[in-house]
Amino acid sequence: MAAALLALGQGAHASHGSAAVLHQLSLLRVPEVIQVSVPTGPTRRRAGVHVRVAGLPAGHRMRTPDGLACTTLGRTVVDLARTAPFKDAVVAADSALHSGRVTVPELSGHLEEQWGWPGSRRAQRVLTFAESRTESPGESLTRVLLTELGYAVVEPQAVVRGLSGRAYRVDFLLGRVVVEFDGKVKYADESMRGTRTPTEVVLAEKR
């Protein structure tokens, strides 16, 4: 990526999926090509690099600790919301909001500045749907699926109480129905953090 930015000159900034990688956002798929934005010149693809032409105001540009020029987190999320498939864009937006490094008003401000650009209405749908309480790409996709199935109210990270009075936090609540998304990482991570075996982790989760 550094070589691509140097080759394209001082105004080139990693953007879209490439900037999302630099910002360590969750993504459904790793970008197959390096994505770069420049303020002037033609849009083009060459040797694994997709060069987009777009305005890059000072407030939309930054450098990573390694010195790589890239779009800011907020700009990156809105760029993906404008150009990526809905599910991919939601995963990235949820990840950014959950990290606490950007807020919905900040994203809305970026979208306002880009309003009228290709995909800006699509981006508005993504930002309206995005949810900071979503904790993983799997949960983001589950929210999208439940909405597509017709559930109007999907409450993430809801707290319910059992008959004992004990509080439990569940992935989603649909009225009185609990929905959980579990992947193997949950069990592997928990068992590696402490001294419990994977079996003990599963049993604790079931309890």
Side-chain angles (χ1 to χ4, degrees):
M1 189 181 297
L5 292 173
L6 286 172
L8 290 166
Q10 189 174 0
H13 285 68
S15 63
H16 299 76
S18 294
V21 171
L22 293 176
H23 287 297
Q24 298 183 322
L25 293 182
S26 295
L27 295 173
L28 277 187
R29 63 204 91 209
V30 177
E32 295 181 356
V33 299
I34 296 170
Q35 296 168 311
V36 177
S37 288
V38 295
T40 59
T43 296
R44 59 197 185 277
R45 291 177 183 266
R46 68 183 203 192
V49 180
H50 183 185
V51 181
R52 302 171 185 265
V53 179
L56 289 168
H60 294 199
R61 294 181 272 122
M62 62 168 286
R63 286 190 178 272
T64 68
D66 295 330
L68 289 178
C70 69
T71 51
T72 60
L73 180 58
R75 169 64 183 266
T76 299
V77 170
V78 173
D79 278 344
L80 287 174
R82 289 190 303 104
T83 60
F86 182 71
K87 292 178 181 179
D88 297 63
V90 167
V91 167
D94 283 357
S95 174
L97 290 171
H98 183 68
S99 74
R101 292 177 289 154
V102 72
T103 64
V104 171
E106 287 171 342
L107 294 179
S108 297
H110 275 285
L111 179 56
E112 239 178 83
E113 293 179 40
Q114 293 176 257
W115 193 253
W117 292 20
S120 54
R121 291 191 181 279
R122 180 194 306 174
Q124 186 175 42
R125 181 185 172 216
V126 172
L127 299 191
T128 300
F129 190 83
E131 171 59 67
S132 64
R133 290 173 291 175
T134 306
E135 297 183 337
S136 70
E139 289 185 14
S140 295
L141 294 177
T142 301
R143 284 178 48 243
V144 173
L145 176 60
L146 290 172
T147 303
E148 289 176 345
L149 289 173
Y151 293 98
V153 180
V154 179
E155 184 182 356
Q157 304 306 320
V159 175
V160 298
R161 291 193 176 275
L163 295 177
S164 66
R166 180 177 173 181
Y168 299 88
R169 186 164 61 90
V170 300
D171 288 345
F172 303 102
L173 196 61
L174 310 180
R176 295 176 60 85
V177 177
V178 168
V179 177
E180 287 284 313
F181 174 87
D182 286 341
K184 69 179 182 179
V185 171
K186 169 180 177 178
Y187 302 108
D189 281 355
E190 287 194 21
S191 61
M192 286 189 293
R193 288 192 196 111
T195 58
R196 296 182 298 174
T197 66
T199 299
E200 289 170 332
V201 172
V202 172
L203 290 175
E205 189 268 343
K206 296 304 177 188
R207 281 195 295 272

